[in-house]
């Protein structure tokens, strides 16, 4: 398998613009997670899905953030409108529904909002 | 509030010596713990894990120790190698949710 695939790898945009980050999880995985990496908070859990259903979105910082998983092979994280403080690396990860399993991460999407 | 804490942002160790990375957690419901390694411009990769029913797990040069009463775990790397230089994240799971710390940047000096 190719692993978790994220796009774009880099995104530079201006404040107020809409940003959409994409993720293709590993085939067969039941869980999909979106994380944001910052210096202050490390890897911060934003939202996670089980079988395409959002389970916990309490980590989503504001209403400007939204995430969807229309099918088992695709998820999006959208920021609208974007702000400079949203600049970070956003990671998608997937895993199986089993005790003692680990997460498999994508390479991340580095977002810069000017 | 951070449920998983790594209080040392950075650590430098001489090649061949032991590296000890520490992690504390606050939630007694956490029952599974993991360490991830991250190189620049890459995603974190799984390194080693431990279940709460154990207090030690070993995999080659890497050993994770768990002290449940203190809510503390540590990662030992022996001997340390320059290729181990990376950011290490600890994570804790209460079942299919994973909470990560802020990371410790390890530099192994040749």
């Amino acid at each position: 398998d190719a692993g978790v695939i994220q796009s774009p790898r880099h995104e530079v945009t201006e404040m107020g613009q809409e940003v959409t980050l994409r993720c293709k999880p590993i085939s067969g995985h039941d869980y999909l997670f979106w994380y944001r990496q910052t210096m202050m908070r490390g890897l911060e859990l934003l939202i996670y899905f089980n079988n395409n259903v959002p389970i916990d979105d309490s980590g989503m910082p504001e209403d400007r953030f939204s995430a969807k998983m229309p099918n088992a092979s695709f998820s999006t994280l959208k920021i609208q409108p974007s702000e400079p403080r949203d600049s970070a690396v956003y990671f998608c990860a997937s895993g199986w529904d089993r005790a003692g399993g680990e997460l498999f991460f994508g390479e991340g999407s580095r977002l810069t909002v000017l | 509030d951070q449920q998983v804490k790594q209080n040392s942002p950075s650590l430098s160790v001489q090649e061949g010596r032991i590296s000890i990375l520490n992690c504390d957690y606050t939630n007694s419901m956490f029952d599974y713990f993991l360490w991830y390694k991250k190189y620049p411009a890459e995603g974190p990769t799984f390194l080693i894990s431990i279940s709460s029913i154990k207090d030690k797990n070993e995999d080659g040069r890497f050993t994770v120790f768990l002290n449940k009463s203190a809510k503390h775990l540590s990662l030992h790397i022996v001997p340390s190698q320059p290729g181990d230089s990376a950011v290490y994240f600890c994570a804790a799971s209460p079942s299919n949710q994973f909470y990560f710390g802020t990371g410790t940047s390890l530099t192994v000096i040749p």
Side-chain angles (χ1 to χ4, degrees):
Chain A
D1 200 313
V4 177
I5 300 173
Q6 290 186 246
S7 64
R9 290 294 311 276
H10 302 274
E11 174 91 6
V12 181
T13 190
E14 292 188 345
M15 183 175 63
Q17 296 297 306
E18 176 180 303
V19 173
T20 300
L21 308 178
R22 298 173 178 80
C23 175
K24 182 181 188 305
I26 292 173
S27 177
H29 281 185
D30 305 285
Y31 283 84
L32 183 140
F33 298 76
W34 281 100
Y35 286 89
R36 176 170 69 176
Q37 183 188 7
T38 62
M39 289 296 292
M40 290 299 293
R41 301 177 72 88
L43 284 168
E44 179 184 13
L45 176 63
L46 301 177
I47 185 171
Y48 77 98
F49 296 82
N50 180 22
N51 291 320
N52 313 338
V53 177
I55 303 300
D56 185 352
D57 65 353
S58 59
M60 298 285 260
E62 299 172 32
D63 291 345
R64 298 184 296 106
F65 286 69
S66 63
K68 294 181 180 179
M69 192 165 185
N71 56 61
S73 59
F74 184 66
S75 176
T76 60
L77 177 68
K78 184 177 292 187
I79 308 172
Q80 179 185 23
S82 58
E83 297 182 2
R85 59 191 166 128
D86 302 330
S87 298
V89 182
Y90 292 80
F91 288 101
C92 175
S94 67
W96 287 289
D97 182 7
R98 62 171 184 180
E102 74 263 24
L103 292 184
F104 296 81
F105 281 81
E107 294 187 312
S109 295
R110 179 175 291 277
L111 172 64
T112 302
V113 183
L114 304 175
Chain B
D1 193 23
Q2 285 286 129
Q3 298 193 61
V4 178
K5 298 178 183 179
Q6 294 175 258
N7 293 318
S8 297
S10 62
L11 175 68
S12 291
V13 173
Q14 288 286 339
E15 181 179 4
R17 306 294 288 269
I18 184 171
S19 295
I20 300 176
L21 295 92
N22 294 303
C23 179
D24 298 294
Y25 60 96
T26 58
N27 191 336
S28 58
M29 297 299 291
F30 290 155
D31 58 4
Y32 184 59
F33 305 88
L34 312 89
W35 283 94
Y36 279 77
K37 179 179 181 180
K38 185 185 179 303
Y39 292 118
E42 295 184 9
T45 54
F46 171 74
L47 190 58
I48 192 170
S49 63
I50 188 168
S51 165
S52 60
I53 63 173
K54 294 184 175 182
D55 55 17
K56 177 182 176 181
N57 188 27
E58 196 170 352
D59 183 2
R61 297 185 297 112
F62 302 90
T63 303
V64 56
F65 295 92
L66 176 62
N67 182 334
K68 290 186 291 294
S69 61
K71 294 191 180 66
H72 177 83
L73 67 156
S74 61
L75 174 68
H76 292 208
I77 307 173
V78 184
S80 301
Q81 299 174 354
D84 297 330
S85 297
V87 176
Y88 290 79
F89 290 95
C90 69
S93 174
S95 74
N96 292 313
Q97 245 181 333
F98 295 82
Y99 296 93
F100 285 80
T102 50
T104 296
S105 178
L106 173 66
T107 301
V108 180
I109 303 165

